[in-house]
Amino acid sequence: MVLTIAAAVFVFGLLVLVHELGHFITAKLTGMRVDEFAIGFGPKLLSFTYGETVYSLRAVPLGGFNDIAGMDPSTNEAGSRGYCEKPVLSRMIVILAGSIMNFILPVVIFFGIYLVAGVSTPNTEPVFGTVIAGKAADQAGLKAGDRIISLDGKEISTWIEFVDNIKDNEGTAVTVVAERNGEKITATMTPAYDSQAKRAMVGVMSSVDTRYPGVFEAVSLSLQKTGMIIAMMLDALAQIIMKLSGAELAGPIGVAQMAGQVAQMGFVPLLNFAAFLSLNLGIVNLFPIPALDGGHFVTLCVEAVRGKPMSPKALEYTQKVGIVLLILLMVLATKNDIVRVFTGG
């Protein structure tokens, strides 16, 4: 539980910090007055003032905000430094900067991982690389580095053979013969169904072969991996929309649960998870839904075409619709989280 909470706070905190920094930096660069830069919501835990801005850390680490003067034209007290008084292009830059930072963060994370931890490719041999605490293999006493010799008397010579012989044995005890430091050991483990992988698993990952790229190759690999993940996410999003299904949605509870599970594998997998989630956040925030950055951008596009802002009533109406849509999505995601918790998914 402690690890799950710590991992969730780290992931949420990193993503929110980077996103809000995008808005903050561009607001400052375009001459806007930022009254407060906050990480989290609710009561203040810590705060200090530097220049004209209050920097605060708040109790609920599930978001953050920039209090930019003049977001509401009727209450603008900053004059020409108010958001509403700046050119449309400046406001567009500020609105999009949060998501852009969420796209940049994974490139930086992957670059750091490649330089420090290297590029890892799965080993085809049936050797454990990671054994997750509390899962079937760990409970059976198996450890990282163990080489599987046989399952229920059937010889195993590749990692694929090991996976194939595990995936269909949900709830069935399997006798394992493994080699550790030149000695044979025998253990019994019971595969459990994993709802995300949609097959039975025992909580292990294959060993890997690692090489260390140079700086320029690391940059190239980081960009390639980020682009590949974005393409996969957009494809998955299209499938969800076409099927009109929200079964795969996860809310804060689900994300926290996943962060805890990934953290058990190590800090590098947790960084990979944070990068993946950052891209997810960046894409979702660009949805043309009022109350999201994408919705604000659309209203700015309308203003640019019309030559004047939308009326206050129209803006209020679209904001209310957006908030209702977000609440409905959050309710659906939270329902999915609760179902996963109680079904062990």
Side-chain angles (χ1 to χ4, degrees), residues 15 18-19 95-106 230 233-234 237 274-288 292-294:
L15 267 56
V18 168
H19 183 90
I95 289 300
L96 294 179
S99 290
I100 290 172
M101 288 291 282
N102 283 127
F103 290 123
I104 293 174
L105 175 63
I230 291 174
M233 285 183 173
L234 291 175
L237 177 62
F276 181 87
L277 207 61
S278 183
L279 291 174
N280 197 6
L281 177 62
I283 292 172
V284 169
N285 256 292
L286 291 179
F287 285 1
L292 291 180
D293 292 345

Side-chain angles (χ1 to χ4, degrees), residues 17-41:
L17 175 63
V18 168
H19 183 90
E20 295 303 331
L21 269 177
H23 294 311
F24 176 80
I25 292 170
T26 51
K28 289 285 190 179
L29 289 176
T30 52
M32 298 178 190
R33 193 185 82 194
V34 183
D35 294 329
E36 183 177 357
F37 175 84
I39 299 300
F41 295 111

Side-chain angles (χ1 to χ4, degrees), residues 9-293:
V9 169
F10 169 77
V11 170
F12 283 127
L14 178 62
L15 267 56
V16 170
L17 175 63
V18 168
H19 183 90
E20 295 303 331
L21 269 177
H23 294 311
F24 176 80
I25 292 170
T26 51
K28 289 285 190 179
L29 289 176
T30 52
M32 298 178 190
R33 193 185 82 194
V34 183
D35 294 329
E36 183 177 357
F37 175 84
I39 299 300
F41 295 111
K44 291 181 182 179
L45 299 178
L46 296 170
S47 70
F48 67 93
T49 301
Y50 182 78
E52 63 186 7
T53 305
V54 175
Y55 299 85
S56 64
L57 178 65
R58 294 174 177 255
V60 184
L62 296 179
F65 64 89
N66 282 278
D67 183 6
I68 303 175
M71 290 293 290
D72 182 353
S74 65
T75 60
N76 180 32
E77 298 177 353
S80 62
R81 296 192 62 206
Y83 172 88
C84 59
E85 294 296 323
K86 294 298 179 181
V88 172
L89 180 59
S90 295
R91 285 179 276 154
M92 285 181 171
I93 291 172
V94 172
I95 289 300
L96 294 179
S99 290
I100 290 172
M101 288 291 282
N102 283 127
F103 290 123
I104 293 174
L105 175 63
V107 176
V108 174
I109 289 177
F110 293 143
F111 174 75
I113 289 174
Y114 290 144
L115 282 186
V116 176
V119 179
S120 298
T121 54
N123 194 323
T124 59
E125 298 182 355
V127 178
F128 290 166
T130 300
V131 177
I132 301 174
K135 298 297 184 179
D138 176 61
Q139 293 173 349
L142 297 171
K143 299 180 180 180
D146 289 352
R147 174 185 290 273
I148 303 302
I149 297 174
S150 68
L151 293 174
D152 282 340
K154 182 179 180 180
E155 184 178 345
I156 300 296
S157 57
T158 67
W159 183 259
I160 294 298
E161 289 181 356
F162 170 76
V163 172
D164 287 342
N165 280 273
I166 289 294
K167 67 180 183 180
D168 297 323
N169 281 303
E170 176 189 355
T172 303
V174 178
T175 300
V176 185
V177 176
E179 181 181 343
R180 180 187 301 164
N181 299 325
E183 297 182 0
K184 288 186 178 180
I185 59 172
T186 302
T188 301
M189 59 184 180
T190 303
Y193 184 77
D194 184 279
S195 60
Q196 293 180 340
K198 294 181 173 54
R199 60 181 173 84
M201 301 179 72
V202 292
V204 296
M205 296 175 64
S206 67
S207 60
V208 295
D209 295 321
T210 303
R211 67 180 183 85
Y212 294 88
V215 172
F216 293 108
E217 186 184 2
V219 171
S220 176
L221 290 172
S222 325
L223 291 170
Q224 289 176 32
K225 185 169 183 177
T226 300
M228 179 187 69
I229 294 175
I230 291 174
M232 290 172 57
M233 285 183 173
L234 291 175
D235 180 65
L237 177 62
Q239 294 297 322
I240 291 174
I241 294 174
M242 290 176 64
K243 294 178 182 178
L244 296 176
S245 170
E248 301 300 321
L249 290 175
I253 299 173
V255 172
Q257 186 181 33
M258 286 185 280
Q261 293 171 348
V262 173
Q264 294 181 35
M265 303 177 193
F267 188 61
V268 169
L270 185 61
L271 285 176
N272 272 292
F273 179 70
F276 181 87
L277 207 61
S278 183
L279 291 174
N280 197 6
L281 177 62
I283 292 172
V284 169
N285 256 292
L286 291 179
F287 285 1
I289 298 176
L292 291 180
D293 292 345

